Amino acid sequence: SFSGVRNTGNQIVNLKGILCPIKYNGEIKSFQIRYLNSDKKNRFYTMDGVKIPYTLSEMQIGEDVSICEGVYDAIALKCMRFPNPMAILGSSITKLQLKVLREKMPTKVNLCMDNIELNKTIARTIRQHIPSITKIKFHNFKTLNPEEFLKSNLSYRFKPWDTNPLERLQWAF
């Protein structure tokens, strides 16, 4: 957890939040804070500098990947058992993020951006830069982002005995 202050220009605001480290090759390179007591527009702070993608674990070469916008979307995708969630920390993918993805040589990608147009844009970009990708699947969470979808659909919180929850997700939309 995180507790600190933010100077908004005309006042200093006490903030509480959750800090998520962003690692690359086992080292913390950046972080993102999600403020718990802030308005929706200002609820995130990402350390300035290089935009390294956020992943919950080290992805192995050749594994499928699920791309989303934010850290909490990645956590929601993990809860829904999507393979290797990767948050690009915004609505566009950077050259460094493409390099990181290209190094892992995925063949299948699940695009889980906040809307279908972003899915299309990211799909065009990654097809141009990552030749190993043979299949891209779009996931539209009923116009919600993955985090909001998971919070509003309790029935999609999978039980440990589910054999293939991803299959269940694919036809649920």
Side-chain angles (χ1 to χ4, degrees):
S1 74
F2 169 84
S3 184
V5 295
R6 176 190 282 172
N7 185 343
T8 63
N10 57 0
Q11 67 181 15
I12 295 193
V13 180
N14 286 317
L15 297 168
K16 294 186 185 297
I18 299 169
L19 186 139
C20 295
I22 300 171
K23 296 180 180 180
Y24 181 63
N25 289 334
E27 292 182 28
I28 296 174
K29 299 289 186 181
S30 184
F31 63 87
Q32 185 177 76
I33 299 170
R34 179 173 180 161
Y35 297 112
L36 301 176
N37 54 342
S38 188
D39 61 67
K40 203 165 190 163
K41 181 182 168 193
N42 297 309
R43 68 180 174 170
F44 295 103
Y45 170 79
T46 305
M47 186 177 111
D48 291 336
V50 183
K51 270 176 74 173
I52 296 167
Y54 172 81
T55 57
L56 288 111
S57 59
E58 281 292 319
M59 197 171 104
Q60 300 303 309
I61 291 177
E63 291 183 331
D64 298 353
V65 66
S66 303
I67 299 174
C68 59
E69 289 184 46
V71 169
Y72 289 87
D73 293 330
I75 293 168
L77 290 175
K78 184 73 171 177
C79 289
M80 292 187 283
R81 296 191 186 164
F82 274 73
N84 296 306
M86 175 187 280
I88 59 174
L89 307 174
S91 58
S92 62
I93 192 163
T94 67
K95 289 180 182 178
L96 177 62
Q97 291 168 339
L98 286 167
K99 177 184 177 286
V100 169
L101 197 54
R102 194 172 32 252
E103 288 171 359
K104 300 301 180 181
M105 300 185 322
T107 56
K108 296 178 186 169
V109 174
N110 293 295
L111 285 178
C112 307
M113 303 300 283
D114 288 1
N115 66 58
I116 198 72
E117 291 307 313
L118 285 176
N119 278 342
K120 290 177 184 177
T121 301
I122 299 296
R124 279 192 297 273
T125 302
I126 62 177
R127 278 201 191 280
Q128 290 172 352
H129 293 90
I130 305 169
S132 64
I133 294 173
T134 59
K135 184 177 181 183
I136 297 175
K137 184 161 180 86
F138 291 8
H139 295 273
N140 180 4
F141 294 91
K142 299 180 183 177
T143 70
L144 298 170
N145 64 44
E147 176 198 2
E148 296 297 325
F149 177 81
L150 183 64
K151 287 192 304 191
S152 66
N153 290 277
L154 297 179
S155 64
Y156 288 96
R157 293 189 182 156
F158 301 112
K159 310 218 175 354
W161 56 84
D162 281 341
T163 56
N164 191 352
L166 185 57
E167 180 179 287
R168 187 164 141 197
L169 274 175
Q170 290 171 350
W171 61 260
F173 304 90

